[in-house]
Amino acid sequence: MAARALPEVNIDDKVFTLKYYVDEQKSHLSLRDPGLCLKCAQKPCLSFCPVGVYRLDAQGQVVVGYQACVECGSCRVACPLHNIKWDYPRGGYGVAYKFG
Amino acid sequence: MVRLNYDVIVVGGGPAGMAAAITCARAGLDTILLERGRFAGAKNLFGGVVYTASVLSLVPDLFSASRLPFERPVTEEGWWILSQDGVVKITHTNATLRESPPRAFTAFRAKFDAWLAKQAQKAGVLVVPKVRVIDLLIKDNFVCGVQTDRTASWDDHRPAQVKAPVVILAEGVNRILSIKAGLVPRDFSPKEVALSVKEVLQLPKGELESRFGLQKDTGLAVELLGEASLGLPGTGFLYTNTSCLSLGVGLFLIDYATHNIKPYALLEHLKRHPVLAPLLAEAETLEYGAHLIPEWGFFGLAKLCGNGVLAVGDAVGLVNPLFREGTNLAIYSGILAGKAAIYAHKKGNFGYHTLRLYEEALKDSYIYQDLRYFRKLKTFLQQNKSFFQTYPYLLNEVLHLYLTAQGRAKQEVFKEICQLIRKQRGVTGLLGDFVRAMKFLKGW
Ligand SMILES: Cc1cc2nc3c(=O)[nH]c(=O)nc-3n(C[C@H](O)[C@H](O)[C@H](O)COP(=O)(O)OP(=O)(O)OC[C@H]3O[C@@H](n4cnc5c(N)ncnc54)[C@H](O)[C@@H]3O)c2cc1C
Ligand code: SF4
Ligand code: SF4
């Protein structure tokens, strides 16, 4: 692939167009071992997640903003260290597309 | 949930699950469909184009409805092959494509699936949304029911179990229950699925028609190649709806990870393409979303059934990305699985050897033949990079030279074209690609 600088996008603006019923009691996503992320050189989850659920905090630790998840399943299989504990949200919770 | 025993349980309220449930209920089977979304369609996203014939095979009186569950008829189709700043458009339309009823429509899943759910209810299916199936009940090697994430009742807080001698898994691409049922040995890898992102874009009133040359009863559906996927294996799409556009793009999941590509940055790059930007001027994003597409194909195909269990649609991997088939294959497989469930109930036997009727029917159908025929598609696309990385750009350059040749000696122009081809792909490369493409198309 020829190198291209892709535009900077504020993903929060896109997420804003979505409707969610957030399960405030329970996150359906979590890191099995947050320490393991420090050893993950490339951190692909910061790229491939289509809604930017995985971000770095000020200390460089990966944090999981599960509320924005659209349940695509990508991080279930694409974390190279299998460090993401993945589940669907409880029935009725999570994203609800108006169009889809 | 009131009652906990049924003839058939269907897990998942997409087109595959709805087709299976409707087929069973129409034959008099007591059928329950469990869907984790707030309503059927809430969790689903596609391009998307639905094919009328497949919907008619499930709902024969489709056109007697006062409101169709679709957006626009698709009367013009094809490809826009993008370079970094240009395009070669190959689209087709003719009188047949403009005949009524249209052979294909654009649609939204939140509306289409919800409409299918209404048809299912009419057929007698108990459609239960907001319920997630978390596990299968397996007894003596037979799947005999499901465990849900709802409590059994107000005073019994254990998760409710629903039982039936046949469970039809229509869970979509994330085939978690299919693995539990032993139909697939392992999860898919990031090389075996495509991740697509999409925006629904609202244009100022009247602009959709004027910018895309549409009338009330015409519509455009094009696949976007080349720069849309940055020259990587993948495609974009642009489909016209009644008053808005669906624009999206997808790559193999592995490629986002390997090249550090953010899906939304890829889509934004597409939106800013010099050819697309003016078409999208002043567009407002009504909704953004993302979904996986199963691309494991023939070699990654799940077993279609086991004792007391059948799998249909995306859960099995029934899509043909080259021909944009998915919802129709989901519907056809759902109907076939439903028929096998009916047969099993007649025989009173729910073992693999009875349910195999579905496997046999699917293997006799064009769905399976196509899967076989295109079994090397993924490898072909991943190994023959020039089809994405070189040819779209080359085609644009060659056509540009040809079309701007006025005022020059044409022999010189043709020489320049030949040099360009030689430089970018080489004669051996070109011939090799041709042979490989022919071999692939011949199904070798
Ligand atoms: C970007 C994109 C573009 C596409 N474009 C087209 C197109 O133009 N034309 C076309 O024909 N096809 C297209 N497809 C493919 C098509 O959308 C799918 O093949 C089709 O939707 C498969 O239907 P399904 O019923 O098997 O699965 P799905 O539609 O995924 O339905 C699965 C359902 O099961 C539910 N579910 C999952 N797990 C559970 C559980 N544990 N408990 C309860 N419910 C559960 C889900 O919520 C969902 O409703 C496209 C796909 C994508 C992603
Ligand atoms: S890819 Fe997996 S291991 Fe790496 S940073 Fe992300 S969550 Fe952690
Ligand atoms: S499931 Fe998809 S949307 Fe949700 S966190 Fe994982 S990659 Fe992101």
Side-chain angles (χ1 to χ4, degrees), chain B residues 143-156:
Chain B
V143 174
C144 58
V146 299
Q147 175 117 351
T148 73
D149 69 349
R150 282 261 194 107
T151 51
S153 67
W154 286 113
D155 33 53
D156 182 350

Side-chain angles (χ1 to χ4, degrees), chain B residues 364-413:
Chain B
D364 278 342
S365 73
Y366 89 95
I367 304 178
Y368 191 79
Q369 287 167 18
D370 281 3
L371 274 170
R372 238 187 98 79
Y373 187 74
F374 289 114
R375 66 192 177 282
K376 293 192 182 145
L377 178 67
K378 184 166 44 70
T379 337
F380 180 82
L381 297 182
Q382 288 172 350
Q383 284 177 359
N384 294 279
K385 299 221 152 60
S386 47
F387 285 93
F388 295 94
Q389 178 177 296
T390 312
Y391 292 127
Y393 302 90
L394 186 57
L395 182 64
N396 272 273
E397 286 186 66
V398 168
L399 264 182
H400 179 77
L401 279 174
Y402 184 94
L403 295 170
T404 56
Q406 295 83 359
R408 288 179 66 190
K410 305 303 174 282
Q411 190 182 5
E412 190 189 303
V413 174

Side-chain angles (χ1 to χ4, degrees), chain A residues 13-72:
Chain A
D13 291 343
K14 310 261 183 209
V15 169
F16 189 69
T17 66
L18 282 160
K19 183 143 185 61
Y20 295 95
Y21 294 84
V22 176
D23 186 346
E24 305 286 0
Q25 287 165 29
K26 189 174 175 287
S27 165
H28 63 286
L29 306 168
S30 60
L31 299 174
R32 287 181 210 278
D33 170 10
L36 198 58
C37 295
L38 299 170
K39 294 184 202 137
C40 175
Q42 204 197 349
K43 301 195 177 27
C45 62
L46 305 180
S47 301
F48 66 69
C49 172
V51 284
V53 161
Y54 301 94
R55 301 193 188 181
L56 290 181
D57 69 7
Q59 282 75 46
Q61 173 60 50
V62 174
V63 289
V64 187
Y66 74 97
Q67 295 88 341
C69 174
V70 290
E71 304 149 38
C72 71

